[in-house]
Amino acid sequence: MKDNFAQVAQQGDAVALFFYSDLFVRNPHLRDMFPIGMSGQRDKLLRALGHIVARVDDLPTLVPFIQQLGRDHRKFGIVAEHYPQVGASLIATLQYYSGSDWTDELAEDWNAAYSLVAKVMMEAADEDALSSPAWWNGEVLAVERRRFDIAVLRILPDRPLPYLPGQSVALEVPARLRHWRYYSMANAPRQDNSLDFHVRLVDGGPVSSVLVCQMQVGDRVRMGAPIGTLTLDESSTRDVLLVAGSTGLAPLKAMLEQITRRPQPPRVHMFFGARTRDALYDLEELSKLANEFPWLRVVPAVSDESEGHGFSPFLQSGDGVEHGTLPDVVARHGPWNDHDAYVCGPPEMVDHTVERLTTGLGVGRERIRQETFVDTQR
């Protein structure tokens, strides 16, 4: 199966295009469940299939991923009858791009694998439906435009939305129906149930453009169930290292708020980086927290020497902002052998930071939790 999928995947975007064309021709009623523009949806299909196939012989890792897929698909309105329809189009796609290499044995293997995946997804969805809605409706309570391309939104769900600091939810806005994009909550759970989101405008992003440029107080959104494993290890007694690039700050800020509620917080070093000074959009609030809590140190960093566009009066000369990439700045303050590390932000920054932490700064890979924010998914 791995070899066959690798062969099929070489055809790139054509594979997903064939799959969805076949699916909609066979089942025209399913077309309205998907966004008008399908390019992002095609990317997600190939990534999900690749993830499943790559771990087909590692069930302890694969099963939780498939269960999460089942729970997550509830917000799309997926029900049991849809799974055989999707399976038929998937097998037809694999057969078409396998050409003469397609065999009856391969067909049996793929059918058995898909049947198992569908079973696990449906069981997880059914179990989740006993305790959680398919989605939450939310009302925008506040909009702060920290920069021309960054906004902080406060949203109130219509019912409590249980989550762990560091997790994310998918958001859908009325102006972009069926376009769901994941954003992390930037706060630990509150008594009033409100949620903060840090959103950066992505060029061509159908959802981020609405959230940053158009959202107003009183507007409505829909939110899916919380997902993600970038959560604080509450059993650890080690000190904590938080490394955030741009709006990758959101989940780490939620975890920082969680730490402030501990009776005896550990020492926390937070590194917050961006390209320019005015892109350090939340530094003023982080600095206030550092002044309030003696166990917290905040180190801002910029990789571009430019002073930025001057949108924030808080960022002046002598404000303690260090120059360099986040991995380099973190390395200057190391080693970090007695810390648990949490890293979030752009993929390249995350990869380089993790590499530095594990190869020269004393942090074992098992003590690093990470998440990447891919622009094309925002």
Side-chain angles (χ1 to χ4, degrees):
M1 287 177 60
K2 287 185 177 181
D3 290 342
N4 178 243
F5 183 76
Q7 173 190 344
V8 171
Q10 290 178 355
Q11 304 301 316
D13 192 54
V15 177
L17 182 61
F18 183 98
F19 166 79
Y20 282 111
S21 298
D22 185 86
L23 180 65
F24 298 150
V25 168
R26 295 173 185 249
N27 311 279
H29 63 286
L30 295 182
R31 182 62 184 90
D32 286 342
M33 298 177 67
F34 294 85
I36 295 174
M38 291 289 294
S39 57
Q41 191 67 34
R42 293 197 292 268
D43 291 340
K44 292 178 183 178
L45 172 70
L46 290 177
R47 281 199 302 275
L49 284 174
H51 186 94
I52 291 172
V53 173
R55 292 161 178 78
V56 70
D57 51 0
D58 182 13
L59 291 182
T61 300
L62 180 59
V63 170
F65 174 78
I66 296 173
Q67 290 173 328
Q68 183 58 56
L69 277 181
R71 291 188 290 266
D72 200 38
H73 275 65
R74 291 182 58 218
K75 67 177 183 289
F76 301 123
I78 301 297
V79 296
E81 68 185 53
H82 296 142
Y83 283 90
Q85 298 164 349
V86 170
S89 291
L90 176 61
I91 298 302
T93 302
L94 293 167
Q95 180 177 358
Y96 179 82
Y97 284 104
S98 298
S100 59
D101 292 332
W102 188 257
T103 64
D104 291 341
E105 182 180 2
L106 198 55
E108 291 179 3
D109 289 342
W110 275 112
N111 273 299
Y114 178 79
S115 296
L116 179 59
V117 168
K119 180 175 182 293
V120 173
M121 289 180 67
M122 285 188 287
E123 289 177 348
D126 290 343
E127 182 179 0
D128 190 59
L130 297 176
S131 58
S132 298
W135 63 77
W136 284 254
N137 294 307
E139 178 184 356
V140 178
L141 299 181
V143 180
E144 293 182 48
R145 291 186 168 86
R146 302 283 180 89
R147 215 176 82 133
F148 72 95
D149 62 346
I150 296 177
V152 175
L153 308 177
R154 179 160 295 181
I155 297 175
L156 182 65
D158 59 349
R159 68 196 80 182
L161 196 163
Y163 69 95
L164 296 175
Q167 290 190 307
S168 306
V169 295
L171 295 181
E172 181 198 49
V173 296
R176 298 290 187 271
L177 291 178
R178 295 177 293 280
H179 282 280
W180 293 83
R181 294 294 184 269
Y182 282 96
Y183 296 93
S184 294
M185 284 70 74
N187 63 286
R190 298 173 175 140
Q191 288 189 345
D192 68 359
N193 297 316
S194 63
L195 309 169
D196 289 348
F197 296 94
H198 297 180
V199 185
R200 186 171 67 83
L201 177 65
V202 175
D203 187 21
V207 177
S208 68
S209 60
V210 175
L211 292 174
V212 173
C213 302
Q214 300 179 27
M215 294 302 286
Q216 302 291 334
V217 172
D219 285 348
R220 302 284 178 168
V221 301
R222 288 203 300 177
M223 296 174 285
I227 67 168
T229 58
L230 183 69
T231 53
L232 197 65
D233 181 2
E234 289 281 28
S235 66
S236 175
T237 59
R238 285 183 286 267
D239 292 334
V240 175
L241 171 65
L242 305 174
V243 184
S246 187
T247 50
L249 172 66
L252 302 189
K253 187 176 181 183
M255 294 164 60
L256 177 59
E257 187 175 318
Q258 179 182 8
I259 293 173
T260 66
R261 300 176 182 178
R262 288 185 179 181
Q264 295 181 316
R267 289 183 301 169
V268 178
H269 284 78
M270 169 171 275
F271 291 83
F272 176 37
R275 293 187 181 277
T276 60
R277 286 171 177 256
D278 63 328
L280 296 172
Y281 65 94
D282 207 45
L283 181 56
E284 183 172 4
E285 189 166 341
L286 292 176
S287 297
K288 290 178 180 177
L289 289 174
N291 289 330
E292 180 180 356
F293 299 108
W295 45 263
L296 171 63
R297 185 184 180 193
V298 174
V299 179
V302 294
S303 57
D304 189 328
E305 291 290 334
S306 168
E307 294 294 324
H309 302 290
F311 285 97
S312 176
F314 179 75
L315 297 171
Q316 307 294 337
S317 59
D319 52 21
V321 176
E322 297 196 15
H323 294 286
T325 65
L326 264 177
D328 288 343
V329 174
V330 170
R332 288 177 205 158
H333 293 261
W336 301 100
N337 50 290
D338 56 348
H339 287 65
D340 291 329
Y342 301 84
V343 187
C344 189
E348 185 176 3
M349 181 282 289
V350 171
D351 291 343
H352 289 175
T353 300
V354 171
E355 181 181 2
R356 295 292 289 274
L357 290 174
T358 55
T359 57
L361 298 175
V363 184
R365 187 64 186 83
E366 73 282 358
R367 290 195 281 116
I368 302 175
R369 297 190 184 186
Q370 68 187 80
E371 183 175 341
T372 57
F373 281 1
V374 182
D375 285 353
T376 55
Q377 293 306 303
R378 310 310 288 172

